[in-house]
């Protein structure tokens, strides 16, 4: 199949963003990028001066399949991802059954190939059943196709166990992805510990619950030489710990999500359960620290943090409502509006954090950049087009968002995966 994309801006270090280029794609690979390309046998798409970005890569996503298909499944999550500009997503291992053996990995890989619109790469659980006690069959899962090992957003309280995992995973050169929360400190908390929790009468989670585990995991990574990736950073202290570790040369990367650099704990005012996430929304001081961490490169990745839940389980008393957020379809536009349009970072920086760096961390060859010889995974965005976020129109089964009715800019108008137009 041959496709020629005409008249587009290309965001890539090799090209001038203000210039217009053509992109020639043959059998899913970018064969040529230049000006005034003519190919008589190719399907022509005139992009009218819109911008082409490498397909986004989501490092933190729950697809809920197998076991929780009533919340989300491979078909709906991939369609939701495509609408949001993600051409590659990962799968957290906290499914049912847990992704802790090669059989489940093979199931997800096989089902994704037959049903998914986008690329799906599973993480393997570092422990059997995501319980943090016995090491899972990491080597066999690696051979079956995992791209990292994760705790499945379940806190690993045994430092000795995590250390052994890090030592073992080193031989595969995969990232060890950790949710940093000390449950003894977070306790029965349901939101950030602070003023808002006090006046709402809700138990709080102190920021130390995240930071002490970030510090512990960094120490373990430094001493084992493992590649540590810290998921959904939410506090000022965590940003500083990562910054200092990088200065020492530690193999540490960190990610955050749009709700952690755009919303504060005040988002749960009036007991708004749509803003109930874990880790919880923090203070304006934390939000500003995360924004600085993104601007100076301390935080490497912006992930969606997509964690769908049943709307009925959200519409409960705050203490009983489930954690979760539907965010695949809003992550890019929120990040572009909140970071690029405000001048905090450049569009090239945003592409680096949402595509190039995730591809590097996960060792996804031929992805994350627009260049000749790379996979034709890219998105076309109209950076001038504004729109209002309306969760009712999400492709995800989770049709709710704390960002409902927000006005954002930067709409994804086309998504191409392997040279195939899917949206």
């Amino acid at each position: 199949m041959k496709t020629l994309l005409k008249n587009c801006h290309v965001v890539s270090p090799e090209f001038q963003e203000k210039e217009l280029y053509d992109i020639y794609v043959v059998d899913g690979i970018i064969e040529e990028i230049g000006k005034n390309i003519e190919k008589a046998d190719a399907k022509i798409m005139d992009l009218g001066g819109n911008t082409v970005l490498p397909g986004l890569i989501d490092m933190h996503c729950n697809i809920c399949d197998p076991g929780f298909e009533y919340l989300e499944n491979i078909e709906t999550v991939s369609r939701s991802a495509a609408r949001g500009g993600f051409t590659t997503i990962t799968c957290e291992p906290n499914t049912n059954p847990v992704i802790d053996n090669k059989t489940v990995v093979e199931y997800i890989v096989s089902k994704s190939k037959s049903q998914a619109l986008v690329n799906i790469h599973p993480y393997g659980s570092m422990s059997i059943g995501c319980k943090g006690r016995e090491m899972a069959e990491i080597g066999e899962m690696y051979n079956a196709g995992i791209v990292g090992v994760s705790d499945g957003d379940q806190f690993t309280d045994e430092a000795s166990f995590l250390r052994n995992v890090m030592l073992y995973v080193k031989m595969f050169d995969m990232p060890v992805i950790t949710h940093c929360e000390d449950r003894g400190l977070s306790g029965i908390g349901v939101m950030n510990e602070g003023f808002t929790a006090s006046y709402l009468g809700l138990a709080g989670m102190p920021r130390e619950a995240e930071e002490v585990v970030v510090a512990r995991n960094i120490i373990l990574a430094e001493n084992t030489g493992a590649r540590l990736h810290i998921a959904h950073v939410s506090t000022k202290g965590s940003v500083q710990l990562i910054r200092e570790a990088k200065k020492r040369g530690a193999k540490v990367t960190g990610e955050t999500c749009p709700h952690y650099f755009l919303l504060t704990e005040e988002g749960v005012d009036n007991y708004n359960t749509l803003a109930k996430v874990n880790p919880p929304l923090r203070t304006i001081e934390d939000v500003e620290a995360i924004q600085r961490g993104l601007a100076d490169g301390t935080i490497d990745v912006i992930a969606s943090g997509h964690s769908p839940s049943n709307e009925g389980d959200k519409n409960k008393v705050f203490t009983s409502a489930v954690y979760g957020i539907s965010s695949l379809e809003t992550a890019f536009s929120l990040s572009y509006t909140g970071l690029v349009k405000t001048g905090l970072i450049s569009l090239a920086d945003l592409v680096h954090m949402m595509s190039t760096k995730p591809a590097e961390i996960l060792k996804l060859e031929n992805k994350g950049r627009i260049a000749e010889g790379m996979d034709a995974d890219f998105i076309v965005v109209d950076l001038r087009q504004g729109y209002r976020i309306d969760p009712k129109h999400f492709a995800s089964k989770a049709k709710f968002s704390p960002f409902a009715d927000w006005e954002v800019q930067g709409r994804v108008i086309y998504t191409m995966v392997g040279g195939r137009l899917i949206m």
Side-chain angles (χ1 to χ4, degrees):
M1 181 177 178
K2 300 177 181 180
T3 305
L4 180 58
L5 308 182
K6 303 278 293 180
N7 302 316
C8 56
H9 297 284
V10 177
V11 179
S12 181
E14 295 88 350
F15 304 99
Q16 298 294 322
E17 284 188 32
K18 293 183 179 181
E19 299 289 327
L20 288 175
Y21 296 92
D22 302 337
I23 304 173
Y24 181 48
V25 175
V26 179
D27 296 332
I29 303 296
I30 301 172
E31 184 166 292
E32 183 181 353
I33 304 175
K35 297 184 178 182
N36 302 314
I37 297 174
E38 298 296 336
K39 301 291 180 180
D41 58 346
K43 176 184 176 181
I44 307 295
M45 290 181 62
D46 192 329
L47 300 184
N50 283 311
T51 302
V52 175
L53 311 178
L56 309 181
I57 299 172
D58 193 2
M59 285 193 66
H60 203 102
C61 175
N62 289 274
I63 70 169
C64 303
D65 188 349
F68 303 102
E69 291 90 344
Y70 65 97
L71 298 176
E72 198 81 280
N73 59 46
I74 284 177
E75 191 278 328
T76 59
V77 78
S78 66
R79 190 171 298 280
S80 181
R83 284 193 181 182
F86 290 96
T87 58
T88 298
I89 62 176
T90 53
C91 174
E92 285 294 319
N94 51 348
T95 51
N96 184 23
V98 168
I99 308 174
D100 60 6
N101 61 80
K102 67 176 183 179
T103 301
V104 184
V105 175
E106 289 168 348
Y107 164 84
I108 292 172
V109 170
S110 175
K111 191 172 182 180
S112 297
K113 287 180 179 178
S114 64
Q115 297 186 13
L117 297 173
V118 301
N119 308 297
I120 297 181
H121 295 283
Y123 292 146
S125 174
M126 61 180 68
S127 63
I128 295 174
C130 275
K131 297 184 183 298
R133 299 190 186 97
E134 300 175 77
M135 195 181 302
E137 301 170 350
I138 293 173
E140 292 186 356
M141 290 192 291
Y142 172 77
N143 291 332
I146 63 171
V147 294
V149 293
S150 167
D151 53 17
D153 288 344
Q154 303 295 314
F155 168 59
T156 304
D157 59 355
E158 290 291 338
S160 59
F161 170 78
L162 184 57
R163 180 177 183 273
N164 288 336
V165 168
M166 288 182 173
L167 288 169
Y168 184 68
V169 171
K170 271 181 63 180
M171 74 175 71
F172 306 107
D173 194 25
M174 290 189 296
V176 177
I177 301 152
T178 61
H179 166 81
C180 296
E181 177 188 357
D182 185 321
R183 296 277 164 81
L185 284 170
S186 58
I188 61 171
V190 291
M191 65 168 295
N192 184 57
E193 181 181 86
F195 174 77
T196 303
S198 296
Y199 90 75
L200 290 175
L202 297 172
M205 298 175 171
R207 54 171 55 90
E208 300 96 299
E210 175 175 312
E211 293 164 1
V212 296
V213 181
V214 169
R216 181 201 71 174
N217 292 0
I218 287 173
I219 291 169
L220 292 175
E222 285 188 282
N223 285 280
T224 61
R227 292 204 290 129
L228 172 67
H229 183 75
I230 298 171
H232 39 229
V233 172
S234 74
T235 77
K236 176 182 178 181
S238 294
V239 175
Q240 186 59 28
L241 286 164
I242 296 169
R243 182 179 287 118
E244 292 169 354
K246 286 188 169 188
K247 288 179 180 178
R248 297 193 300 270
K251 298 176 182 177
V252 177
T253 53
E255 82 184 31
T256 193
C257 310
H259 40 286
Y260 296 121
F261 58 77
L262 294 176
L263 297 177
T264 69
E265 61 183 1
E266 294 176 1
V268 303
D269 203 7
N270 296 318
Y271 304 97
N272 178 17
T273 58
L274 299 183
K276 184 178 181 182
V277 290
N278 189 19
L281 303 178
R282 305 289 186 178
T283 67
I284 187 62
E285 182 182 26
D286 297 297
V287 166
E288 291 172 347
I290 290 172
Q291 291 177 349
R292 288 193 297 272
L294 289 165
D296 68 16
T298 298
I299 298 178
D300 304 85
V301 172
I302 296 174
S304 76
H306 184 68
S307 183
S309 55
N310 186 288
E311 198 164 358
D313 291 331
K314 270 290 190 184
N315 293 328
K316 290 184 176 181
V317 173
F318 197 91
T319 52
S320 300
V322 297
Y323 295 101
I325 186 169
S326 184
S327 50
L328 279 168
E329 293 167 64
T330 60
F332 172 76
S333 56
L334 285 168
S335 299
Y336 178 74
T337 304
L339 298 175
V340 179
K341 293 296 291 181
T342 57
L344 287 169
I345 64 173
S346 68
L347 179 58
D349 291 333
L350 183 61
V351 167
H352 183 78
M353 289 185 280
M354 296 192 78
S355 185
T356 310
K357 190 64 177 182
E360 177 186 316
I361 293 170
L362 298 175
K363 294 191 174 297
L364 301 178
E365 296 183 1
N366 297 323
K367 299 191 185 297
R369 290 191 306 117
I370 296 177
E372 293 174 2
M374 302 291 284
D375 290 348
D377 289 2
F378 40 69
I379 60 175
V380 180
V381 295
D382 185 344
L383 298 176
R384 299 156 295 186
Q385 185 175 350
Y387 68 98
R388 183 177 61 84
I389 294 174
D390 185 355
K392 295 195 299 295
H393 295 138
F394 284 178
S396 168
K397 289 186 177 183
K399 300 182 188 301
F400 57 84
S401 171
F403 296 105
D405 295 324
W406 276 44
E407 293 289 336
V408 292
Q409 203 163 338
R411 183 186 284 276
V412 177
I413 54 177
Y414 297 118
T415 298
M416 183 172 281
V417 178
R420 183 167 58 96
L421 190 67
I422 60 173
M423 190 201 81

